[in-house]
Amino acid sequence: MGKITGFLEHERIEEGYRPVEERLKHYKEFVVGLNTDQAKVQGARCMDCGTPFCNSGCPVNNIIPDFNDLVYRNDWRNAFAVLDSTNNFPEFTGRICPAPCEAACVLNVNDDAVGIKSLEHAIIDRAWDEGWVAPRVAKHKTGKKVAVVGAGPAGMAAAQQLARAGHDVTLFEKNDRIGGLLRYGIPDFKMEKSHIDRRVEQMKAEGVVFRTGVVVGAAKDPLGKGSKVTNLAKETVTPEQLQKDFDAVLLTGGAEQSRDLPVPGRDLDGIHFAMEFLPQQNRVNAGDKVKGQLRADGKHVIVIGGGDTGSDCVGTSNRHGAVSVTQFELMPQPPEEENRPLTWPYWPIKLRTSSSHDEGCEREFAISTKEFIGEKGKITGLKTVRVEWKDGKMQEVAGSEQVLKADLVLLAMGFVSPVATVLDAFGVEKDARGNAKASVDFIGGYATNVPKVFAAGDIRRGQSLVVWAIREGRQAARSVDEFLMGFSDLPR
């Protein structure tokens, strides 16, 4: 805990933002983190709550009261040691995690939660500045070879853990740079890619071999014919080759199959998945030339989908110079404040306004798209209808149809499953939702029905948070290590 009476004396301090007019001119991060004094105040607010629900609210089970207390006592190096013991990449989660730990904070029952995410952000940024983040090279090699397929947060976490256990790890990535959706998906203004790059360098020093531009799957159409999934691969490796060359294979490829909206007019030009639009801007920011880049300049943009991916489309469209940006959400507008006695310590449904929304966006709730309208093969508008929910069923509101102008429509309605052809190529059994079927049991967890093939992250769990991907990568690494060696000292 922090100061015994800290939660009574101090208010929550939020991280700040650069002004809207300033940040819309670039793609750099604009969050203003806590300074040392502010972080100490936040650490002081941590209560002696007996049972710290924040620990279980955090998917990686960060030891939150301990690092809060250490920051309060100005012991930053040990605060980093505590944080690093449970989370391979706090600079990722400290920037883009929605912080379920804060929803579970005991202080959140009737007050503002401790600023746990802002403290995590402050700790890891200081650790990098001070040079405390260093490679941890295994003292002994096992001689075992592991292939990790998919270099998002789950794959990176698993590869790092397995390398530290002494295995020879090769991390395969179909795109030209490491990071998965962290690299090609999450906008640079939310997380600059230099954070990934320096972790890659650390992992290289720990012995991880990276093979980018390599897609793993069937020799022909490994992602399926006509796939819209970002694929910058120049080489294909088959599952048979991996199983021949490695002692274990861990699939961490994510859930990249976007949910479509099959209504009349879907084939008009100007309608794209968010994951066609966002990665292109990431590539341009990295210095690549993208022929025919999807741009929102001078356009009326409608984003269909009210979640984080939709919010990222809003922020990117505004930076392009869109004339207007409107975001649709099928569900009714949630309350501005949750009913805490009812929802705590779980993640509550409430109205969440992102920094991108603050930059300029009309938000429409309880609205459904009936038809895409166009002229000469190009999108010009959407026919919509208001909806309401009765007895758990969606019903259209009579007389509420309208047509809204649109020059660019971005579909950001989530992801339905991993790419099926990849799992099929391995012969991995799928669950009812199309995810790789594997348990998370302590013994034999993350193992698929195929011998020596494991699965973790969104490819097993379905679309989820970065912090859940890190958790699954860490736990799967332990299962693989135990499979190879008969025991494991890696943390679960």
Side-chain angles (χ1 to χ4, degrees), residues 113-261:
V114 175
I116 300 166
K117 178 180 175 180
S118 61
L119 287 172
E120 181 178 3
H121 186 179
I123 292 167
I124 189 59
D125 280 9
R126 179 158 180 173
W128 279 107
D129 291 342
E130 297 283 354
W132 299 334
V133 184
R136 301 215 302 264
V137 181
K139 294 180 180 179
H140 305 286
K141 301 294 285 185
T142 65
K144 300 291 186 180
K145 297 170 65 177
V146 182
V148 180
V149 182
M156 290 179 68
Q160 185 168 62
Q161 293 295 95
L162 288 164
R164 289 174 175 177
H167 303 304
D168 294 322
V169 182
T170 302
L171 184 52
F172 292 86
E173 169 57 46
K174 71 181 185 310
N175 292 321
D176 57 351
R177 296 179 177 93
I178 299 298
L181 291 188
L182 293 172
R183 175 75 65 176
Y184 292 134
I186 301 292
D188 294 60
F189 56 79
K190 286 177 66 175
M191 194 189 85
E192 294 175 17
K193 309 315 172 189
S194 58
H195 303 299
I196 306 171
D197 295 336
R198 60 186 178 185
R199 281 296 182 181
V200 169
E201 292 306 310
Q202 180 197 30
M203 291 170 66
K204 285 180 179 177
E206 293 172 340
V208 177
V209 175
F210 293 90
R211 291 190 60 185
T212 55
V214 180
V215 64
V216 176
K220 184 179 180 181
D221 295 328
L223 301 184
K225 194 172 182 179
S227 173
K228 298 286 188 179
V229 172
T230 302
N231 180 17
L232 305 177
K234 297 180 179 179
E235 179 185 352
T236 300
V237 173
T238 64
E240 293 79 12
Q241 191 63 47
L242 280 190
Q243 290 167 298
K244 177 183 175 183
D245 294 344
F246 293 88
D247 298 298
V249 177
L250 174 59
L251 304 179
T252 54
E256 296 183 275
Q257 200 67 52
S258 297
R259 179 174 280 107
D260 207 346
L261 186 57

Side-chain angles (χ1 to χ4, degrees), residues 42 316 400 469:
Q42 277 308 287
T316 301
S400 66

Side-chain angles (χ1 to χ4, degrees), residues 69 106 155 258 274 317 362 430-431 466:
D69 180 67
V106 172
S258 297
S317 296
E362 288 291 326
K430 298 189 285 287
D431 65 16
V466 169

Side-chain angles (χ1 to χ4, degrees), residues 372-387:
F372 296 114
I373 300 171
E375 294 179 3
K376 298 179 180 179
K378 294 186 177 181
I379 185 78
T380 59
L382 281 75
K383 181 183 288 186
T384 67
V385 64
R386 296 290 171 174
V387 296

